[in-house]
C-alpha cells in the first residue's frame, strides 16, 4: 500500500499531532507500506486558501497513492482542492482529525467562518481517523452526519517509561517542594498564565515549576508570561527551558511530581498520557477529550477553561497532601498501562486504510470491466 500524507510544515515539529503522524508513518513502513510526505508551506490563513488553486500542489496530490492521508489542520489548503482530486481519481482521501479548529475558543465573528470552512472540508473526504471520541463527536456534529472512520487514540508508550508504583509513591512522599512540570509550547491556548497566577498564591518555597516548550512560536504571549512572572516576584522558582528534544523529556517527567497543562481545549492530549506513564497526576483541560483518559479526582483534576481558582485549589491540595499525590500518581501509572499502545492504535488505522484501498481498487476494476464490455 502506498500512502501519501499531507501536512503543514515539517513532520519533525514538536507537537502531539506530529508525534502521532510520525508514529503512524513509521508503523506503516515497518509493515512494508510505502509512504510519502507532502509538506505545504505554512503561511497566513488567507494565503493558505489560495493553495486550493495551485497546479503544483494539485499535481503532487494526484501522485500514485493507494490512499491519501491529510492532516485535518491543513484543511484551509484542501477544502476545495479535494473535490477536484476526487473527480480525477478514485483513490480514497482520509483526514486525520487531531483537533477541529472550530472546537477551540475563538472570537464570535471568526467562528462561523472557521466552522463553515471545516464543514466543507469534512464533506470532501471519504473517511477519517479520529484521535479521540470527542473529535469524532465534534466532527459529526459539525457535518450533520456520520463519517466513515476509526477512533485510534494516540499511544503513551513511545518514551519507554520505566517506573514502579513503589517508586512513584516514594517520589511523592520525599521532602522538598512540589515539582510542577508543564510540557507545552508557550501559546495562549495552553493557559500557562493561569499556572503563574495559581503558583503565586501558594506558600513560598512549597513548589518549583519547569516549562518545556517553545517560547518563539508566539513571542507576544511568551513576553506576557515573563511579565506575569516578574510582577509576581516568583522567577527564582521557575525554569523556562524553551523547546526540549523528545529524548530529554523522560528525565523531566521522572524528576517531577505532576503535570500542569490546563488548556482551554485539548482534543485528547498526548502529553497527559506521556506524564501518566511516569506516574504523574495531571491538571488537564476539562474541555475536549482529556476526560477519556483522566477521571477527575483519580488520575488528576480536570480544569474548566479560565478557572484559575480551581487550579489554585488543586495545586495547594497536592502540595500539602503528599499521600493524595502518591495515590493519584499510582492511579495515573495504572491507567497509562491500560491505555492502548502505539502498535494497537496504528494497527487500527492501517486496517481501516487497507479496507478503503481494497474497496477503491475493486471499484476501479469493475469500472474498467464495464468500459471494456
Amino acid at each position: 500500500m502506498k500512502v501519501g500524507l499531507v501536512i503543514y510544515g515539517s513532520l519533525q515539529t514538536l507537537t502531539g499531532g506530529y508525534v502521532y503522524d510520525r508514529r503512524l508513518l513509521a508503523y506503516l513502513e515497518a509493515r512494508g507500506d510505502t509512504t510519502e510526505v507532502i509538506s505545504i508551506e505554512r503561511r497566513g490563513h488567507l494565503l493558505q486558501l489560495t493553495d486550493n488553486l495551485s497546479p503544483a500542489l494539485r499535481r503532487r496530490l494526484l501522485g500514485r497513492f493507494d490512499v491519501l492521508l491529510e492532516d485535518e489542520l491543513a484543511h484551509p489548503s484542501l477544502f476545495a482542492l479535494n473535490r477536484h482530486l476526487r473527480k480525477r481519481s478514485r483513490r480514497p482521501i482520509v483526514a486525520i482529525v487531531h483537533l477541529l479548529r472550530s472546537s477551540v475558543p475563538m472570537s464570535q465573528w471568526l467562528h462561523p467562518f472557521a466552522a463553515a470552512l471545516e464543514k466543507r472540508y469534512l464533506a470532501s473526504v471519504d473517511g477519517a481517523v479520529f484521535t479521540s471520541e470527542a473529535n469524532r463527536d465534534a466532527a459529526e456534529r459539525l457535518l450533520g452526519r456520520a463519517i466513515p472512520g476509526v477512533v485510534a487514540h494516540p499511544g503513551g508508550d513511545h518514551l519507554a517509561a520505566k517506573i514502579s508504583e513503589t517508586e512513584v509513591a516514594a517520589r511523592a512522599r520525599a521532602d522538598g517542594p512540589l515539582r510542577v512540570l508543564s510540557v507545552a509550547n508557550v501559546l495562549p491556548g495552553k493557559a500557562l498564565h493561569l499556572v503563574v497566577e495559581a503558583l503565586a498564591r501558594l506558600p513560598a518555597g512549597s513548589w518549583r515549576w519547569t516549562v518545556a516548550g517553545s517560547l518563539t512560536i508566539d513571542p507576544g504571549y511568551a513576553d506576557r508570561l515573563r511579565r506575569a512572572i516578574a510582577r509576581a516576584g516568583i522567577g527564582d522558582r521557575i525554569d523556562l527551558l524553551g523547546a526540549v528534544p523528545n529524548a530529554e523529556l523522560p528525565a523531566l517527567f521522572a524528576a517531577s511530581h505532576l503535570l500542569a497543562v490546563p488548556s482551554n481545549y485539548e482534543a485528547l492530549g498526548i502529553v497527559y498520557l506521556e506524564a501518566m506513564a511516569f506516574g504523574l497526576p495531571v491538571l488537564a483541560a476539562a474541555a475536549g477529550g482529556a476526560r477519556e483518559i483522566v477521571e477527575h479526582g483519580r488520575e488528576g483534576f480536570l480544569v474548566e477553561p479560565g478557572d484559575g481558582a480551581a487550579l489554585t485549589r488543586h495545586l495547594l491540595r497536592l502540595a500539602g497532601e503528599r499521600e493524595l499525590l502518591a495515590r493519584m500518581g499510582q492511579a495515573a501509572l495504572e491507567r497509562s498501562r491500560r491505555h492502548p499502545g502505539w502498535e494497537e492504535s496504528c494497527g487500527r488505522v492501517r486496517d481501516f486504510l487497507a479496507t478503503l484501498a481494497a474497496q477503491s481498487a475493486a471499484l476501479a476494476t469493475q469500472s474498467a470491466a464495464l468500459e471494456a464490455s
Side-chain angles (χ1 to χ4, degrees), residues 120-142:
R120 186 172 178 186
Y121 169 79
L122 291 171
S124 76
V125 301
D126 300 293
V129 173
F130 303 97
T131 59
S132 68
E133 294 288 352
N135 269 345
R136 177 174 223 160
D137 291 345
E140 292 185 344
R141 283 197 307 271
L142 180 62

Side-chain angles (χ1 to χ4, degrees), residues 253-306:
F253 285 124
S256 303
H257 286 125
L258 68 98
L259 180 85
V261 185
S263 306
N264 295 331
Y265 184 93
E266 288 286 352
L268 186 76
I270 289 180
V271 71
Y272 301 148
L273 290 168
E274 292 173 337
M276 291 163 67
F278 286 85
L280 272 62
V282 297
L283 300 181
R291 63 183 66 253
E292 295 174 32
I293 55 174
V294 179
E295 180 181 344
H296 182 73
R298 179 173 171 79
E299 297 93 2
F301 295 107
L302 299 171
V303 182
E304 295 293 340

Side-chain angles (χ1 to χ4, degrees), residues 200-253:
R201 300 186 186 108
L202 269 60
S206 67
W207 58 271
R208 184 159 195 92
W209 186 33
T210 300
V211 181
S214 175
L215 295 160
T216 60
I217 296 176
D218 190 329
Y221 181 71
D223 287 343
R224 174 186 166 191
L225 195 70
R226 291 190 185 97
R227 290 195 298 271
I229 291 169
R231 284 195 303 271
I234 55 177
D236 60 330
R237 283 165 273 163
I238 297 175
D239 298 304
L240 300 179
L241 302 181
V244 173
N246 283 335
E248 297 178 16
L249 288 178
L252 289 177
F253 285 124

Side-chain angles (χ1 to χ4, degrees), residues 176-180 199 202-208 237 316 319-320 322:
L178 181 71
R179 297 189 297 275
V180 182
L199 291 173
L202 269 60
S206 67
W207 58 271
R208 184 159 195 92
R237 283 165 273 163
L316 187 61
R322 291 306 180 94

Side-chain angles (χ1 to χ4, degrees), residues 30-363:
R31 275 139 192 86
D33 298 318
T34 302
T35 68
E36 180 181 335
V37 176
I38 301 100
S39 173
I40 302 175
E41 180 187 358
R42 292 183 183 275
R43 300 183 291 165
H45 194 77
L46 292 178
L47 287 175
Q48 302 287 186
L49 299 179
T50 66
D51 291 331
N52 289 277
L53 305 176
S54 168
L57 179 58
R58 183 181 304 172
R59 287 192 296 271
R60 292 179 69 192
L61 299 186
L62 282 170
R64 293 185 175 274
F65 305 115
D66 297 307
V67 179
L68 184 64
L69 277 174
E70 298 176 344
D71 189 316
E72 193 274 342
L73 289 174
H75 71 268
S77 300
L78 301 165
F79 73 96
L81 182 54
N82 277 352
R83 287 169 167 75
H84 175 81
L85 299 178
R86 293 179 74 177
K87 292 176 182 178
R88 297 282 302 275
S89 171
R90 294 181 182 275
R91 172 220 35 224
I93 300 173
V94 178
I96 304 179
V97 183
H98 295 296
L99 171 68
L100 291 182
R101 288 184 180 175
S102 56
S103 295
V104 178
M106 64 180 68
S107 63
Q108 290 185 345
W109 69 268
L110 184 59
H111 184 269
F113 172 75
L117 198 64
E118 216 153 25
K119 180 178 180 179
R120 186 172 178 186
Y121 169 79
L122 291 171
S124 76
V125 301
D126 300 293
V129 173
F130 303 97
T131 59
S132 68
E133 294 288 352
N135 269 345
R136 177 174 223 160
D137 291 345
E140 292 185 344
R141 283 197 307 271
L142 180 62
L143 187 57
R145 61 171 172 81
I147 301 173
V150 61
V151 175
H153 288 109
D157 54 349
H158 56 283
L159 295 181
K162 295 181 180 179
I163 191 167
S164 68
E165 288 89 344
T166 301
E167 290 170 318
V168 169
R171 181 180 63 196
R173 293 168 181 149
D175 293 336
L178 181 71
R179 297 189 297 275
V180 182
L181 175 67
S182 297
V183 178
N185 291 325
V186 180
L187 300 167
K190 300 301 180 181
L192 298 182
H193 58 282
L194 292 181
V195 183
V196 174
E197 296 167 7
L199 291 173
R201 300 186 186 108
L202 269 60
S206 67
W207 58 271
R208 184 159 195 92
W209 186 33
T210 300
V211 181
S214 175
L215 295 160
T216 60
I217 296 176
D218 190 329
Y221 181 71
D223 287 343
R224 174 186 166 191
L225 195 70
R226 291 190 185 97
R227 290 195 298 271
I229 291 169
R231 284 195 303 271
I234 55 177
D236 60 330
R237 283 165 273 163
I238 297 175
D239 298 304
L240 300 179
L241 302 181
V244 173
N246 283 335
E248 297 178 16
L249 288 178
L252 289 177
F253 285 124
S256 303
H257 286 125
L258 68 98
L259 180 85
V261 185
S263 306
N264 295 331
Y265 184 93
E266 288 286 352
L268 186 76
I270 289 180
V271 71
Y272 301 148
L273 290 168
E274 292 173 337
M276 291 163 67
F278 286 85
L280 272 62
V282 297
L283 300 181
R291 63 183 66 253
E292 295 174 32
I293 55 174
V294 179
E295 180 181 344
H296 182 73
R298 179 173 171 79
E299 297 93 2
F301 295 107
L302 299 171
V303 182
E304 295 293 340
D307 194 346
L311 185 60
T312 302
R313 290 195 303 272
H314 300 322
L315 284 167
L316 187 61
R317 187 177 179 192
L318 290 171
E321 299 181 34
R322 291 306 180 94
E323 288 302 316
L324 173 64
L325 180 65
R327 290 196 304 274
M328 295 186 86
Q330 290 173 322
L333 181 61
E334 194 275 332
R335 177 63 181 81
S336 76
R337 289 172 175 169
R338 299 199 314 270
H339 186 79
W342 284 106
E343 286 285 313
E344 181 179 343
S345 290
C346 291
R348 287 172 60 82
V349 176
R350 186 176 188 271
D351 288 347
F352 176 63
L353 299 182
T355 297
L356 288 182
Q359 291 172 348
S360 176
L363 287 173

